[in-house]
Amino acid sequence: MNQSYFLGIDASTQGVKALVIDADNAEIVAEAAVNFGKDLPQFGAPNGYIETLAPAEFHADPRMWVAGCELCLKRLASQCDLAQVRGVSGSGQQHGSVYLDDNGGFSRDTSPIWMDNSTGTECAELEAKFGVLIREATGSPATERFTGPQIRRFYKTDSNSYARTRVIHLVSSFLCSKFIGADAPIDFGDGAGMNLLDLRTMKWNAEIAAFTAPDLLAKLPPVAPSDTIAGGLAAEFEKYGLKAGTPVVVWSGDNPNSLVGVGASSPGTAVISLGTSDTVFAALESYAPQRYGHIFGNPAGGFMSLVCFTNGSLAREKVREECGVDWAYFDNAALAETEFGNGGKIFLPWYQPETTPLVSEARPRANFDASAATPAERIRAVLETQALTMRHHTPARERPRVIRVTGGASRSNGFLRILADVFQARVETISAPNSAALGAAMRAANAVAHIPFAELNARFCRPVATIEPNAALAAQADKMLAAFGDFVKI
Ligand code: XUL
Protein backbone atom coordinates (compact mmCIF):
# COMPACT_ATOMS: atom_id res chain seq x y z
CA MET A 1 0.00 0.00 0.00
CA ASN A 2 1.28 3.43 -0.95
CA GLN A 3 1.40 5.66 2.13
CA SER A 4 1.64 9.00 0.40
CA TYR A 5 -1.55 9.67 -1.56
CA PHE A 6 -3.30 12.96 -0.73
CA LEU A 7 -6.51 14.24 -2.28
CA GLY A 8 -7.15 17.92 -3.11
CA ILE A 9 -10.52 19.19 -4.33
CA ASP A 10 -11.22 22.62 -5.81
CA ALA A 11 -14.85 23.75 -5.88
CA SER A 12 -14.63 26.82 -8.06
CA THR A 13 -17.19 29.02 -9.79
CA GLN A 14 -17.70 26.99 -12.94
CA GLY A 15 -16.95 23.49 -11.77
CA VAL A 16 -15.04 21.16 -9.49
CA LYS A 17 -11.55 19.81 -10.10
CA ALA A 18 -9.81 17.22 -8.00
CA LEU A 19 -6.45 15.52 -8.02
CA VAL A 20 -4.51 12.92 -6.08
CA ILE A 21 -0.82 13.43 -5.45
CA ASP A 22 1.70 10.79 -4.56
CA ALA A 23 3.83 12.88 -2.21
CA ASP A 24 6.74 10.42 -2.01
CA ASN A 25 7.08 10.01 -5.74
CA ALA A 26 6.37 13.67 -6.60
CA GLU A 27 3.61 12.72 -9.00
CA ILE A 28 0.03 13.64 -9.72
CA VAL A 29 -1.54 10.20 -10.05
CA ALA A 30 -5.12 11.13 -10.97
CA GLU A 31 -7.03 14.23 -12.04
CA ALA A 32 -10.70 14.78 -12.74
CA ALA A 33 -13.00 17.69 -13.50
CA VAL A 34 -16.71 18.41 -13.53
CA ASN A 35 -18.28 21.37 -15.30
CA PHE A 36 -21.50 22.57 -13.70
CA GLY A 37 -23.09 23.66 -16.99
CA LYS A 38 -22.18 20.56 -18.96
CA ASP A 39 -22.26 17.83 -16.32
CA LEU A 40 -24.97 19.05 -13.97
CA PRO A 41 -27.48 20.86 -16.22
CA GLN A 42 -30.31 20.04 -13.77
CA PHE A 43 -29.11 22.95 -11.56
CA GLY A 44 -29.76 25.47 -14.34
CA ALA A 45 -26.44 27.26 -13.83
CA PRO A 46 -24.50 26.97 -17.13
CA ASN A 47 -21.77 29.31 -15.87
CA GLY A 48 -21.95 28.35 -12.21
CA TYR A 49 -24.57 30.84 -11.11
CA ILE A 50 -28.32 31.32 -11.49
CA GLU A 51 -28.93 33.60 -14.45
CA THR A 52 -32.44 34.83 -13.67
CA LEU A 53 -31.72 37.15 -10.74
CA ALA A 54 -31.37 40.95 -10.58
CA PRO A 55 -28.25 42.21 -12.44
CA ALA A 56 -26.08 42.70 -9.33
CA GLU A 57 -27.12 39.40 -7.72
CA PHE A 58 -25.10 36.28 -8.29
CA HIS A 59 -26.19 33.17 -6.44
CA ALA A 60 -25.69 29.43 -6.83
CA ASP A 61 -27.38 26.36 -5.39
CA PRO A 62 -25.04 24.89 -2.73
CA ARG A 63 -26.39 21.42 -3.56
CA MET A 64 -24.74 21.80 -6.95
CA TRP A 65 -21.32 22.15 -5.28
CA VAL A 66 -21.91 18.95 -3.30
CA ALA A 67 -23.10 17.09 -6.42
CA GLY A 68 -20.04 18.42 -8.29
CA CYS A 69 -17.65 17.09 -5.62
CA GLU A 70 -19.33 13.70 -5.62
CA LEU A 71 -19.24 13.35 -9.41
CA CYS A 72 -15.60 14.38 -9.39
CA LEU A 73 -14.78 11.69 -6.81
CA LYS A 74 -16.58 9.13 -8.94
CA ARG A 75 -14.41 10.13 -11.92
CA LEU A 76 -11.24 10.02 -9.83
CA ALA A 77 -12.11 6.58 -8.47
CA SER A 78 -11.97 5.16 -11.99
CA GLN A 79 -8.32 6.32 -12.28
CA CYS A 80 -6.71 5.32 -9.00
CA ASP A 81 -7.33 3.40 -5.80
CA LEU A 82 -8.76 6.03 -3.48
CA ALA A 83 -8.42 3.64 -0.52
CA GLN A 84 -4.76 4.68 -0.49
CA VAL A 85 -5.59 8.32 0.24
CA ARG A 86 -4.12 9.32 3.60
CA GLY A 87 -5.45 12.86 3.86
CA VAL A 88 -7.95 15.14 2.16
CA SER A 89 -8.36 18.89 1.88
CA GLY A 90 -10.06 21.31 -0.41
CA SER A 91 -10.57 24.76 -1.82
CA GLY A 92 -13.69 26.82 -2.34
CA GLN A 93 -14.39 29.96 -4.35
CA GLN A 94 -13.92 32.71 -1.77
CA HIS A 95 -16.61 34.79 -0.07
CA GLY A 96 -19.71 32.67 -0.98
CA SER A 97 -21.91 31.80 2.01
CA VAL A 98 -24.23 28.92 2.91
CA TYR A 99 -27.09 29.22 5.43
CA LEU A 100 -28.16 26.11 7.34
CA ASP A 101 -31.08 25.64 9.74
CA ASP A 102 -31.57 23.44 12.81
CA ASN A 103 -32.96 20.50 10.87
CA GLY A 104 -30.05 19.85 8.57
CA GLY A 105 -31.71 21.87 5.79
CA PHE A 106 -31.03 25.26 4.23
CA SER A 107 -32.52 28.42 5.74
CA ARG A 108 -31.60 30.27 2.54
CA ASP A 109 -32.17 28.31 -0.61
CA THR A 110 -29.31 29.75 -2.61
CA SER A 111 -25.86 31.10 -1.78
CA PRO A 112 -24.54 34.51 -2.82
CA ILE A 113 -21.14 34.04 -4.48
CA TRP A 114 -18.10 36.29 -5.01
CA MET A 115 -19.52 37.81 -8.20
CA ASP A 116 -22.44 39.32 -6.30
CA ASN A 117 -22.19 43.10 -5.98
CA SER A 118 -25.58 43.89 -4.53
CA THR A 119 -24.38 45.12 -1.13
CA GLY A 120 -23.23 48.68 -1.87
CA THR A 121 -25.62 50.05 0.79
CA GLU A 122 -24.43 47.60 3.45
CA CYS A 123 -20.77 48.39 2.70
CA ALA A 124 -21.51 52.11 3.02
CA GLU A 125 -23.21 51.42 6.37
CA LEU A 126 -20.21 49.47 7.65
CA GLU A 127 -17.79 52.17 6.49
CA ALA A 128 -19.95 54.89 8.07
CA LYS A 129 -20.04 53.04 11.37
CA PHE A 130 -16.41 51.87 11.58
CA GLY A 131 -14.40 53.99 9.11
CA VAL A 132 -10.78 52.88 8.75
CA LEU A 133 -11.20 50.26 11.46
CA ILE A 134 -12.74 47.90 8.92
CA ARG A 135 -9.54 47.87 6.85
CA GLU A 136 -7.27 47.91 9.87
CA ALA A 137 -9.04 45.02 11.57
CA THR A 138 -10.13 42.84 8.65
CA GLY A 139 -7.39 43.59 6.09
CA SER A 140 -9.91 44.84 3.50
CA PRO A 141 -12.30 47.75 3.11
CA ALA A 142 -16.00 46.87 3.32
CA THR A 143 -16.29 44.96 0.05
CA GLU A 144 -19.51 44.07 -1.76
CA ARG A 145 -18.71 40.42 -2.43
CA PHE A 146 -17.39 39.80 1.10
CA THR A 147 -19.51 37.67 3.40
CA GLY A 148 -20.24 40.17 6.21
CA PRO A 149 -21.99 42.72 3.96
CA GLN A 150 -23.78 39.79 2.26
CA ILE A 151 -25.03 38.51 5.63
CA ARG A 152 -26.18 42.01 6.60
CA ARG A 153 -28.21 42.31 3.41
CA PHE A 154 -29.80 38.89 4.00
CA TYR A 155 -30.74 39.88 7.55
CA LYS A 156 -32.22 43.18 6.30
CA THR A 157 -34.21 41.68 3.42
CA ASP A 158 -35.35 38.40 5.03
CA SER A 159 -35.00 38.67 8.80
CA ASN A 160 -37.19 35.59 9.48
CA SER A 161 -34.98 33.30 7.44
CA TYR A 162 -31.92 34.92 8.99
CA ALA A 163 -33.36 34.21 12.47
CA ARG A 164 -33.96 30.55 11.49
CA THR A 165 -30.30 30.20 10.48
CA ARG A 166 -28.27 28.05 12.85
CA VAL A 167 -24.89 28.37 11.16
CA ILE A 168 -23.41 30.34 8.26
CA HIS A 169 -20.63 28.60 6.39
CA LEU A 170 -18.32 29.66 3.60
CA VAL A 171 -18.22 27.46 0.49
CA SER A 172 -15.00 25.97 1.83
CA SER A 173 -16.21 25.20 5.37
CA PHE A 174 -19.60 24.00 4.07
CA LEU A 175 -18.00 21.41 1.81
CA CYS A 176 -15.50 20.41 4.50
CA SER A 177 -18.50 19.89 6.79
CA LYS A 178 -20.08 17.58 4.21
CA PHE A 179 -16.88 15.56 4.06
CA ILE A 180 -16.67 15.08 7.83
CA GLY A 181 -20.41 14.89 8.49
CA ALA A 182 -20.26 17.67 11.13
CA ASP A 183 -19.74 21.44 11.26
CA ALA A 184 -16.18 22.28 10.21
CA PRO A 185 -14.27 25.43 11.23
CA ILE A 186 -13.49 28.28 8.83
CA ASP A 187 -9.74 28.59 8.17
CA PHE A 188 -7.68 31.81 8.50
CA GLY A 189 -7.21 32.02 4.72
CA ASP A 190 -10.85 32.08 3.70
CA GLY A 191 -12.11 33.62 6.95
CA ALA A 192 -10.22 36.80 6.07
CA GLY A 193 -12.52 37.33 3.06
CA MET A 194 -15.54 38.11 5.20
CA ASN A 195 -14.97 41.57 6.71
CA LEU A 196 -15.52 39.83 10.05
CA LEU A 197 -12.22 38.22 11.06
CA ASP A 198 -9.87 40.45 13.04
CA LEU A 199 -6.44 39.75 11.59
CA ARG A 200 -4.76 41.38 14.59
CA THR A 201 -6.15 38.71 16.94
CA MET A 202 -7.31 35.96 14.55
CA LYS A 203 -10.72 36.00 16.23
CA TRP A 204 -14.11 37.16 14.98
CA ASN A 205 -14.42 40.89 15.65
CA ALA A 206 -17.36 41.01 18.06
CA GLU A 207 -18.24 44.66 17.41
CA ILE A 208 -18.25 44.33 13.63
CA ALA A 209 -20.21 41.06 13.87
CA ALA A 210 -22.81 42.65 16.18
CA PHE A 211 -23.35 45.54 13.77
CA THR A 212 -23.43 43.22 10.74
CA ALA A 213 -26.43 41.25 12.03
CA PRO A 214 -27.96 40.30 15.41
CA ASP A 215 -26.57 37.18 17.10
CA LEU A 216 -24.13 36.69 14.26
CA LEU A 217 -21.28 35.50 16.49
CA ALA A 218 -23.43 32.57 17.60
CA LYS A 219 -24.05 31.59 13.97
CA LEU A 220 -20.41 31.64 12.82
CA PRO A 221 -18.33 28.45 13.00
CA PRO A 222 -15.08 28.72 14.95
CA VAL A 223 -12.00 29.95 13.06
CA ALA A 224 -8.93 27.73 12.95
CA PRO A 225 -5.41 27.65 11.49
CA SER A 226 -5.35 26.13 8.01
CA ASP A 227 -3.49 23.00 9.10
CA THR A 228 -6.21 21.97 11.55
CA ILE A 229 -7.64 18.49 11.08
CA ALA A 230 -11.38 19.14 10.97
CA GLY A 231 -12.34 15.50 11.48
CA GLY A 232 -12.43 12.06 9.90
CA LEU A 233 -14.01 11.39 6.52
CA ALA A 234 -17.72 10.50 6.79
CA ALA A 235 -18.69 6.88 6.04
CA GLU A 236 -20.83 7.88 3.03
CA PHE A 237 -17.62 8.58 1.06
CA GLU A 238 -16.67 4.91 1.21
CA LYS A 239 -18.75 4.43 -1.93
CA TYR A 240 -15.93 6.12 -3.87
CA GLY A 241 -13.35 3.77 -2.39
CA LEU A 242 -12.10 6.30 0.21
CA LYS A 243 -11.67 5.08 3.79
CA ALA A 244 -14.00 6.40 6.49
CA GLY A 245 -12.05 8.23 9.18
CA THR A 246 -9.29 9.48 6.82
CA PRO A 247 -8.15 12.88 8.20
CA VAL A 248 -9.83 15.83 6.50
CA VAL A 249 -7.84 19.06 6.85
CA VAL A 250 -9.87 22.31 6.98
CA TRP A 251 -10.62 23.66 3.53
CA SER A 252 -9.51 27.14 2.47
CA GLY A 253 -10.27 29.67 -0.26
CA ASP A 254 -9.07 29.34 -3.85
CA ASN A 255 -6.53 32.17 -3.67
CA PRO A 256 -4.89 30.96 -0.44
CA ASN A 257 -4.76 27.42 -1.86
CA SER A 258 -3.28 28.69 -5.13
CA LEU A 259 -0.54 30.51 -3.22
CA VAL A 260 0.50 27.10 -1.91
CA GLY A 261 -0.11 25.29 -5.22
CA VAL A 262 2.21 27.56 -7.21
CA GLY A 263 4.96 27.14 -4.63
CA ALA A 264 4.84 30.72 -3.35
CA SER A 265 3.81 30.25 0.27
CA SER A 266 7.08 31.73 1.63
CA PRO A 267 7.71 35.51 1.44
CA GLY A 268 9.97 36.67 -1.41
CA THR A 269 8.08 35.08 -4.30
CA ALA A 270 5.08 36.95 -5.71
CA VAL A 271 2.53 35.44 -8.07
CA ILE A 272 1.10 37.33 -11.01
CA SER A 273 -1.91 35.62 -12.46
CA LEU A 274 -2.75 37.02 -15.89
CA GLY A 275 -6.41 36.33 -16.50
CA THR A 276 -9.59 38.18 -17.40
CA SER A 277 -8.46 40.41 -14.59
CA ASP A 278 -4.87 40.31 -13.37
CA THR A 279 -4.12 39.49 -9.74
CA VAL A 280 -0.90 39.86 -7.82
CA PHE A 281 -0.57 37.91 -4.62
CA ALA A 282 2.26 37.17 -2.25
CA ALA A 283 3.03 35.74 1.17
CA LEU A 284 3.69 38.39 3.83
CA GLU A 285 5.98 38.18 6.86
CA SER A 286 3.54 39.97 9.11
CA TYR A 287 0.17 41.66 9.14
CA ALA A 288 0.02 45.33 8.14
CA PRO A 289 -3.05 46.72 6.40
CA GLN A 290 -2.28 48.23 2.99
CA ARG A 291 -3.97 50.95 1.00
CA TYR A 292 -5.06 48.68 -1.81
CA GLY A 293 -6.31 45.15 -2.11
CA HIS A 294 -6.88 42.55 0.55
CA ILE A 295 -4.98 40.61 3.15
CA PHE A 296 -5.89 36.99 3.79
CA GLY A 297 -4.37 34.32 6.01
CA ASN A 298 -1.61 32.33 4.31
CA PRO A 299 -2.47 28.65 4.78
CA ALA A 300 1.22 27.91 5.27
CA GLY A 301 1.30 30.37 8.19
CA GLY A 302 1.32 34.17 8.33
CA PHE A 303 -0.51 36.29 5.79
CA MET A 304 -0.85 36.97 2.08
CA SER A 305 -1.73 40.05 0.09
CA LEU A 306 -3.96 40.02 -2.95
CA VAL A 307 -4.44 42.94 -5.31
CA CYS A 308 -6.78 42.68 -8.27
CA PHE A 309 -6.56 44.73 -11.47
CA THR A 310 -9.82 44.53 -13.39
CA ASN A 311 -8.42 45.55 -16.79
CA GLY A 312 -6.23 42.53 -17.53
CA SER A 313 -6.53 40.25 -20.55
CA LEU A 314 -9.61 41.97 -21.96
CA ALA A 315 -7.69 45.25 -22.04
CA ARG A 316 -4.73 43.59 -23.78
CA GLU A 317 -7.15 42.10 -26.29
CA LYS A 318 -8.75 45.48 -26.94
CA VAL A 319 -5.36 47.04 -27.71
CA ARG A 320 -4.53 44.12 -30.00
CA GLU A 321 -7.80 44.63 -31.87
CA GLU A 322 -7.34 48.38 -32.12
CA CYS A 323 -3.85 47.80 -33.53
CA GLY A 324 -5.22 45.25 -36.03
CA VAL A 325 -2.54 42.63 -35.24
CA ASP A 326 -2.63 38.96 -34.26
CA TRP A 327 -1.48 37.46 -30.96
CA ALA A 328 1.81 36.20 -32.40
CA TYR A 329 2.70 39.81 -33.26
CA PHE A 330 1.36 41.18 -29.97
CA ASP A 331 3.28 38.69 -27.84
CA ASN A 332 6.65 39.37 -29.49
CA ALA A 333 6.64 42.73 -31.28
CA ALA A 334 6.63 44.76 -28.09
CA LEU A 335 10.04 43.31 -27.38
CA ALA A 336 11.49 43.14 -30.89
CA GLU A 337 10.54 46.49 -32.45
CA THR A 338 10.72 48.86 -29.48
CA GLU A 339 12.95 49.60 -26.52
CA PHE A 340 12.45 49.45 -22.78
CA GLY A 341 10.98 52.76 -21.61
CA ASN A 342 9.25 53.36 -24.98
CA GLY A 343 10.02 57.10 -24.93
CA GLY A 344 8.05 57.51 -21.69
CA LYS A 345 4.70 56.36 -23.10
CA ILE A 346 2.06 55.53 -20.50
CA PHE A 347 -1.32 54.03 -21.36
CA LEU A 348 -3.79 53.16 -18.60
CA PRO A 349 -6.18 50.68 -20.25
CA TRP A 350 -9.23 51.44 -18.15
CA TYR A 351 -11.70 50.10 -20.71
CA GLN A 352 -13.83 49.02 -17.73
CA PRO A 353 -14.13 50.60 -14.28
CA GLU A 354 -10.96 49.66 -12.40
CA THR A 355 -10.53 48.19 -8.92
CA THR A 356 -6.88 49.22 -8.44
CA PRO A 357 -6.67 52.14 -8.29
CA LEU A 358 -10.38 52.65 -7.79
CA VAL A 359 -11.80 54.23 -10.98
CA SER A 360 -15.57 54.16 -11.25
CA GLU A 361 -15.91 54.94 -14.97
CA ALA A 362 -14.53 53.26 -18.07
CA ARG A 363 -11.94 55.83 -19.20
CA PRO A 364 -8.66 54.77 -20.88
CA ARG A 365 -5.91 57.38 -20.40
CA ALA A 366 -2.68 57.97 -22.30
CA ASN A 367 0.10 60.57 -22.15
CA PHE A 368 0.69 60.31 -25.92
CA ASP A 369 -1.29 60.43 -29.15
CA ALA A 370 -2.13 56.84 -30.08
CA SER A 371 -2.84 57.73 -33.72
CA ALA A 372 0.79 58.88 -34.10
CA ALA A 373 2.27 55.75 -32.48
CA THR A 374 3.16 52.45 -34.16
CA PRO A 375 1.28 49.27 -33.15
CA ALA A 376 4.44 47.96 -31.41
CA GLU A 377 4.75 51.21 -29.42
CA ARG A 378 1.10 51.01 -28.38
CA ILE A 379 1.50 47.38 -27.35
CA ARG A 380 4.64 48.11 -25.35
CA ALA A 381 2.85 51.08 -23.75
CA VAL A 382 -0.02 48.96 -22.43
CA LEU A 383 2.25 46.15 -21.22
CA GLU A 384 4.78 48.46 -19.53
CA THR A 385 1.96 50.44 -17.91
CA GLN A 386 0.31 47.26 -16.61
CA ALA A 387 3.66 46.12 -15.17
CA LEU A 388 4.27 49.55 -13.62
CA THR A 389 0.76 49.56 -12.13
CA MET A 390 1.46 46.22 -10.48
CA ARG A 391 4.80 47.36 -9.08
CA HIS A 392 3.35 50.72 -7.97
CA HIS A 393 0.70 48.88 -5.93
CA THR A 394 3.16 46.40 -4.41
CA PRO A 395 4.41 47.93 -1.17
CA ALA A 396 8.19 48.41 -1.25
CA ARG A 397 8.67 46.12 1.76
CA GLU A 398 7.24 43.30 -0.30
CA ARG A 399 9.35 43.80 -3.45
CA PRO A 400 9.64 40.22 -4.70
CA ARG A 401 12.93 38.65 -5.73
CA VAL A 402 11.07 36.09 -7.81
CA ILE A 403 7.76 36.40 -9.63
CA ARG A 404 5.84 33.34 -10.71
CA VAL A 405 3.58 34.13 -13.64
CA THR A 406 0.54 32.01 -14.45
CA GLY A 407 -2.51 32.34 -16.66
CA GLY A 408 -3.12 32.64 -20.39
CA ALA A 409 -1.02 35.75 -21.05
CA SER A 410 2.07 34.14 -19.51
CA ARG A 411 2.71 32.81 -23.06
CA SER A 412 3.74 36.36 -24.08
CA ASN A 413 7.53 36.56 -24.09
CA GLY A 414 7.38 40.30 -24.49
CA PHE A 415 5.27 40.73 -21.37
CA LEU A 416 7.44 38.37 -19.29
CA ARG A 417 10.59 40.29 -20.22
CA ILE A 418 8.86 43.60 -19.36
CA LEU A 419 7.72 42.24 -15.98
CA ALA A 420 11.26 41.05 -15.18
CA ASP A 421 12.78 44.45 -16.10
CA VAL A 422 10.12 46.62 -14.44
CA PHE A 423 10.21 44.64 -11.18
CA GLN A 424 13.93 43.85 -11.45
CA ALA A 425 13.04 40.34 -10.35
CA ARG A 426 13.50 36.89 -11.81
CA VAL A 427 10.33 35.82 -13.64
CA GLU A 428 9.41 32.15 -13.69
CA THR A 429 6.56 30.63 -15.61
CA ILE A 430 4.91 27.61 -14.18
CA SER A 431 2.30 25.31 -15.53
CA ALA A 432 -0.37 25.50 -12.86
CA PRO A 433 -3.70 24.60 -14.44
CA ASN A 434 -5.06 23.21 -11.14
CA SER A 435 -3.11 25.24 -8.62
CA ALA A 436 -5.95 25.46 -6.07
CA ALA A 437 -6.56 21.68 -6.06
CA LEU A 438 -2.81 21.01 -5.96
CA GLY A 439 -2.42 23.50 -3.09
CA ALA A 440 -5.18 21.69 -1.19
CA ALA A 441 -3.51 18.31 -1.70
CA MET A 442 -0.16 19.76 -0.59
CA ARG A 443 -1.82 21.21 2.52
CA ALA A 444 -3.26 17.78 3.32
CA ALA A 445 0.23 16.25 2.95
CA ASN A 446 1.72 18.93 5.16
CA ALA A 447 -0.89 18.71 7.93
CA VAL A 448 -1.26 14.93 7.98
CA ALA A 449 2.23 13.63 7.11
CA HIS A 450 4.14 16.74 8.28
CA ILE A 451 6.00 17.10 4.98
CA PRO A 452 7.41 20.67 5.01
CA PHE A 453 6.10 23.03 2.31
CA ALA A 454 9.65 23.68 1.06
CA GLU A 455 9.93 19.95 0.36
CA LEU A 456 6.51 19.82 -1.33
CA ASN A 457 7.38 22.90 -3.45
CA ALA A 458 10.52 21.20 -4.71
CA ARG A 459 8.49 18.12 -5.64
CA PHE A 460 5.42 19.71 -7.23
CA CYS A 461 6.03 23.35 -8.20
CA ARG A 462 9.06 23.47 -10.45
CA PRO A 463 9.27 26.40 -12.93
CA VAL A 464 8.95 25.70 -16.64
CA ALA A 465 10.99 28.70 -17.84
CA THR A 466 13.03 31.46 -16.20
CA ILE A 467 13.79 35.03 -17.31
CA GLU A 468 16.44 37.01 -15.43
CA PRO A 469 16.03 40.80 -15.19
CA ASN A 470 18.44 43.04 -17.06
CA ALA A 471 20.16 44.76 -14.11
CA ALA A 472 21.45 47.53 -16.41
CA LEU A 473 17.83 48.75 -16.66
CA ALA A 474 17.26 49.05 -12.89
CA ALA A 475 17.75 52.85 -12.67
CA GLN A 476 15.54 53.39 -15.72
CA ALA A 477 12.83 51.20 -14.18
CA ASP A 478 12.89 53.39 -11.05
CA LYS A 479 12.52 56.53 -13.19
CA MET A 480 9.62 55.00 -15.12
CA LEU A 481 7.96 54.13 -11.82
CA ALA A 482 8.30 57.70 -10.57
CA ALA A 483 6.91 59.10 -13.84
CA PHE A 484 4.03 56.63 -13.63
CA GLY A 485 3.30 57.70 -10.04
CA ASP A 486 3.12 61.35 -11.16
CA PHE A 487 0.83 60.50 -14.07
CA VAL A 488 -1.72 58.45 -12.08
CA LYS A 489 -1.97 61.26 -9.53
CA ILE A 490 -3.02 63.79 -12.20
C1 XUL B 1 -11.03 36.97 -4.52
C2 XUL B 1 -12.24 36.65 -5.34
C3 XUL B 1 -12.16 35.58 -6.37
C4 XUL B 1 -12.85 34.33 -5.84
C5 XUL B 1 -13.21 33.33 -6.92
O1 XUL B 1 -11.25 37.98 -3.60
O2 XUL B 1 -13.28 37.21 -5.19
O3 XUL B 1 -10.84 35.33 -6.75
O4 XUL B 1 -12.08 33.74 -4.85
O5 XUL B 1 -12.17 32.83 -7.59
Side-chain angles (χ1 to χ4, degrees), residues 13 92-95 114 145-146 254-255 294 296 306:
T13 314
Q93 52 174 309
Q94 291 201 257
H95 318 299
W114 65 279
R145 66 186 187 284
F146 276 38
D254 54 354
N255 294 297
H294 308 290
F296 302 137
L306 179 135

